[in-house]
Amino acid sequence: MITYQKESKLKLSFSGMVIRVSVIKKHNEFFKSLSRSGFIFGTANHHIFLMQEMMNPPCELVEFAEKHLKPLGLSEPKDYVIIPDYTAFGIDGFDYRLLNAPIPATENIPWLNSAMTPKGNYIWYESN
């Protein structure tokens, strides 16, 4: 199931793949590929579509990109980005040195921003 959220920030709970909605709109085959892959779930807002998996590294997301996104002509990081699971929580609790720091895999993605907070990791579209 794909859910839509009005909020601009989406919570990233595990490893994830973020795809620009503007790119999805240009490729009618995207949802057919999504259905064929078995990845028929995700969360979207007006700008980004987020798929998550509980494994790190996110092997199924990497496989999805190889089999379904690249054949459509999509490329990383221009159209999508895979974000490994990253947490600012350690044995002693939250590492406050990382408070509101970007998730490392998103630091050089001009269309995506992120922050690590005590309530979780969040991603949002960054207009250029």
Side-chain angles (χ1 to χ4, degrees), residues 28-39:
N28 295 331
E29 293 294 312
F30 175 79
F31 287 107
K32 289 180 187 175
S33 291
L34 189 64
S35 178
R36 284 191 301 266
S37 74
F39 262 110

Side-chain angles (χ1 to χ4, degrees), residues 2-11 18-22 24-25 31 42-51 111-113 122-126:
I2 298 173
T3 58
Y4 177 80
Q5 293 185 357
K6 292 181 182 179
E7 295 84 14
S8 61
K9 294 182 180 180
L10 300 180
K11 188 171 185 177
V18 184
I19 308 170
R20 296 168 69 159
V21 168
S22 62
I24 293 171
K25 288 180 179 179
F31 287 107
T43 306
N45 62 22
H46 190 69
H47 298 287
I48 56 177
F49 176 62
L50 170 64
M51 297 165 39
W111 54 269
L112 190 64
N113 209 335
Y122 292 87
I123 57 171
W124 62 93
Y125 180 77
E126 186 70 40

Side-chain angles (χ1 to χ4, degrees), residues 3-126:
T3 58
Y4 177 80
Q5 293 185 357
K6 292 181 182 179
E7 295 84 14
S8 61
K9 294 182 180 180
L10 300 180
K11 188 171 185 177
L12 181 62
S13 300
F14 308 106
S15 297
M17 174 186 289
V18 184
I19 308 170
R20 296 168 69 159
V21 168
S22 62
V23 171
I24 293 171
K25 288 180 179 179
K26 293 179 185 176
H27 296 280
N28 295 331
E29 293 294 312
F30 175 79
F31 287 107
K32 289 180 187 175
S33 291
L34 189 64
S35 178
R36 284 191 301 266
S37 74
F39 262 110
I40 51 173
F41 58 90
T43 306
N45 62 22
H46 190 69
H47 298 287
I48 56 177
F49 176 62
L50 170 64
M51 297 165 39
Q52 299 186 69
E53 76 168 281
M54 297 172 83
M55 299 298 291
N56 197 24
C59 298
E60 290 184 23
L61 293 173
V62 170
E63 183 178 328
F64 178 81
E66 291 294 324
K67 288 184 176 179
H68 301 281
L69 298 184
K70 289 185 178 181
L72 294 175
L74 277 64
S75 65
E76 188 176 15
K78 184 182 97 180
D79 302 313
Y80 68 92
V81 62
I82 296 174
I83 304 170
D85 190 16
Y86 192 86
T87 182
F89 282 95
I91 295 170
D92 298 329
F94 188 79
D95 183 349
Y96 283 91
R97 294 172 296 173
L98 299 174
L99 183 62
N100 296 320
I103 301 166
T106 67
E107 288 181 315
N108 295 315
I109 311 297
W111 54 269
L112 190 64
N113 209 335
S114 66
M116 293 181 285
T117 75
K119 293 185 178 186
N121 293 342
Y122 292 87
I123 57 171
W124 62 93
Y125 180 77
E126 186 70 40

